[in-house]
């Protein structure tokens, strides 16, 4: 399987490290051999080699800060613009793992559409295109007869979408609600220990859980983008982030946390979607609720089903290898489709 990787930051590098570690077992157990034939970055160069880049040399080069450090080999093309790279690299699958733009979804959406035009499957770790342009992408995938997969956009490698659409196939899912932002869950966990909001925010920034501008996380917008993806994926709902009722943890005080604790409850930032719409807000949950027991940066989601009742999945919602695994899981799903 020849793969072009758009974006080579934390997620892309995590994915390539997994390939480096598991290439033999993937071939033996699943018949999957992955060749990276192209890598494009925004500011650290690009590489294209249709007969495959050397993974060790690729990781070494990016570890030195720029793909210019990748050694010259016959047939290697450097610093080609991304659109040309997508057209000419000969990839079977386009992996979109570049930075997320929740305002326009660009340029990643256009890269994905170009991939479909070239007869490539598309796998995303980038939330922007799926949250903002899902219908357009789904129609393009259908027209091309190719897969559109995006497991990593909701709970990183924890298989929330695979559980809902594959393992729970045959059930009717009436609602999904969960903790979809690990940064704010960490902050609420620490605030319950008596630490004030500003101190917890500084701590979360120092640990790398929050960006310098934390608005998307603490305001609920990151979770809202994931709620939109869930609503579209599970229910076919044609909604946008603007259609959701969104608030964050920035409206929750230490007094609110203490009052909930005294009542045997706990605040969690909950994203909830149904066929009729959705919301993101900090709510008080009884301690008996499975979501109330999810602490730190961990994510969780509960699906309300007709045949099994509530089904809750708990796991990592972010991370280098965790999200890199989501890309691998989607490649394996495409491989299974090809075999069957």
């Amino acid at each position: 399987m020849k793969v072009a990787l758009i974006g080579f930051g934390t997620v892309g590098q995590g994915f390539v490290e997994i390939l480096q570690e598991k290439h033999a077992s993937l071939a033996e157990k699943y018949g999957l051999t992955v060749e990276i034939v192209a890598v494009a970055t925004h500011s650290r160069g690009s590489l294209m080699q249709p007969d495959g880049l050397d993974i060790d040399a690729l990781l070494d080069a990016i570890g030195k800060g720029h793909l210019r450090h990748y050694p010259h080999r016959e047939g290697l093309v450097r610093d080609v613009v991304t659109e040309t790279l997508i057209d000419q690299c000969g990839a079977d699958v386009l992996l979109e793992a570049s930075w997320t733009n929740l305002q326009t979804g660009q340029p990643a959406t256009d890269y994905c559409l170009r991939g479909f035009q070239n007869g490539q499957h598309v796998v995303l770790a980038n939330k922007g295109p799926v949250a903002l342009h899902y219908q357009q992408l789904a129609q393009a995938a259908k027209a091309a007869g190719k897969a559109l997969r995006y497991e990593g956009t909701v709970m990183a490698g924890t298989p929330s979408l695979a559980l809902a659409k594959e393992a729970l196939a045959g059930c009717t899912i009436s609602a999904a609600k969960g903790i979809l932002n690990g940064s704010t869950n960490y902050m609420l966990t620490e605030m319950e220990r008596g630490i004030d909001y500003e101190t917890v925010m500084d701590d979360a920034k120092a640990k790398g859980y929050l960006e310098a501008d934390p608005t998307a996380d603490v305001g609920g917008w990151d979770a809202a983008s994931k709620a939109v993806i869930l609503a579209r994926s599970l229910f076919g709902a044609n909604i946008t982030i603007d259609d959701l009722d969104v608030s964050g943890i920035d409206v929750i005080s230490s007094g609110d946390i203490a009052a909930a604790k005294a009542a045997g409850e706990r605040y969690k930032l909950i994203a909830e979607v149904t066929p009729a719409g959705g919301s993101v807000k900090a709510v008080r949950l009884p301690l008996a609720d499975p979501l109330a027991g999810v602490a730190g940066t961990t994510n969780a989601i509960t699906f309300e089903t007709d045949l099994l009742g509530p089904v809750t999945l708990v796991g990592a919602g972010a991370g280098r290898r965790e999200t890199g695994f989501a890309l691998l899981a989607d490649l394996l799903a495409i491989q299974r489709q090809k075999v069957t």
Side-chain angles (χ1 to χ4, degrees):
M1 187 180 287
K2 294 189 175 184
V3 168
L5 184 56
I6 310 301
F8 200 37
T10 299
V11 174
Q13 291 173 47
F15 166 71
V16 173
E17 287 167 0
I18 291 170
L19 291 184
Q20 182 186 46
E21 177 185 328
K22 291 185 172 287
H23 68 277
S25 63
L26 290 171
E28 180 181 351
K29 292 182 179 180
Y30 306 107
L32 177 66
T33 301
V34 177
E35 283 187 351
I36 307 294
V37 295
V39 175
T41 75
H42 176 67
S43 60
R44 292 184 288 176
S46 66
L47 300 170
M48 180 173 68
Q49 186 150 15
D51 61 349
L53 295 162
D54 181 271
I55 286 180
D56 293 338
L58 188 59
L59 289 171
D60 181 66
I62 204 67
K64 293 175 180 176
H66 199 284
L67 293 178
R68 72 169 69 93
H69 298 291
Y70 186 89
H72 180 71
R73 287 177 167 81
E74 184 178 352
L76 178 70
V77 180
R78 298 180 187 270
D79 299 327
V80 63
V81 298
T82 301
E83 290 83 356
T84 302
L85 178 146
I86 294 169
D87 290 345
Q88 297 182 0
C89 67
D92 303 305
V93 184
L94 182 70
L95 299 188
E96 222 305 331
S98 65
W99 61 281
T100 294
N101 181 335
L102 288 178
Q103 281 68 52
T104 68
Q106 295 294 3
T109 297
D110 283 345
Y111 294 157
C112 295
L113 294 173
R114 198 176 194 97
F116 287 131
Q117 290 168 2
N118 284 318
Q120 295 160 345
H121 302 289
V122 172
V123 171
L124 294 107
N126 186 337
K127 296 185 294 292
V130 191
L132 298 175
H133 304 295
Y134 175 80
Q135 290 299 125
Q136 186 179 10
L137 292 173
Q139 290 169 3
K142 184 176 181 181
K146 297 297 177 180
L148 168 65
R149 298 193 67 94
Y150 44 93
E151 184 65 69
T153 62
V154 177
M155 283 176 62
T158 303
S160 56
L161 297 175
L163 173 64
K165 300 179 73 173
E166 297 169 17
L168 293 178
C171 289
T172 298
I173 297 174
S174 59
K177 64 177 182 178
I179 299 165
L180 303 182
N181 182 275
S183 304
T184 50
N185 199 54
Y186 171 80
M187 292 177 67
L188 289 172
T189 300
E190 294 300 291
M191 288 173 70
E192 191 175 355
R193 295 175 53 222
I195 305 174
D196 68 87
Y197 178 82
E198 294 299 331
T199 301
V200 169
M201 181 181 288
D202 290 342
D203 176 47
K205 287 181 180 179
K207 287 183 165 69
Y209 299 155
L210 289 174
E211 300 292 340
D213 179 1
T215 305
D217 289 314
V218 300
W221 299 108
D222 174 73
S225 68
K226 297 171 183 177
V228 167
I229 293 170
L230 278 170
R232 292 183 169 185
S233 184
L234 299 181
F235 307 124
N238 189 21
I239 67 171
T240 68
I241 291 177
D242 293 336
D243 296 321
L244 301 179
D245 179 13
V246 180
S247 60
I249 69 166
D250 48 358
V251 299
I252 304 300
S253 69
S254 297
D256 295 327
I257 298 284
K261 187 175 182 179
E265 296 178 331
R266 179 171 287 147
Y267 269 100
K268 293 294 179 184
L269 184 67
I270 299 296
E272 182 167 10
V273 293
T274 71
S279 65
V280 176
K281 59 184 66 177
V283 299
R284 285 167 58 158
L285 298 177
L287 296 183
D289 188 309
L291 298 179
V294 177
T297 59
T298 303
N299 281 193
I301 191 165
T302 297
F303 297 105
E304 297 290 344
T305 75
D306 58 340
L307 301 181
L308 296 176
V311 176
T312 300
L313 176 68
V314 179
R320 181 187 188 95
R321 287 169 66 86
E322 292 85 349
T323 310
F325 167 71
L327 298 177
L328 174 61
D330 280 339
L331 289 186
L332 286 166
I334 292 170
Q335 172 80 354
R336 288 193 297 270
Q337 291 173 354
K338 289 172 65 177
V339 170
T340 57

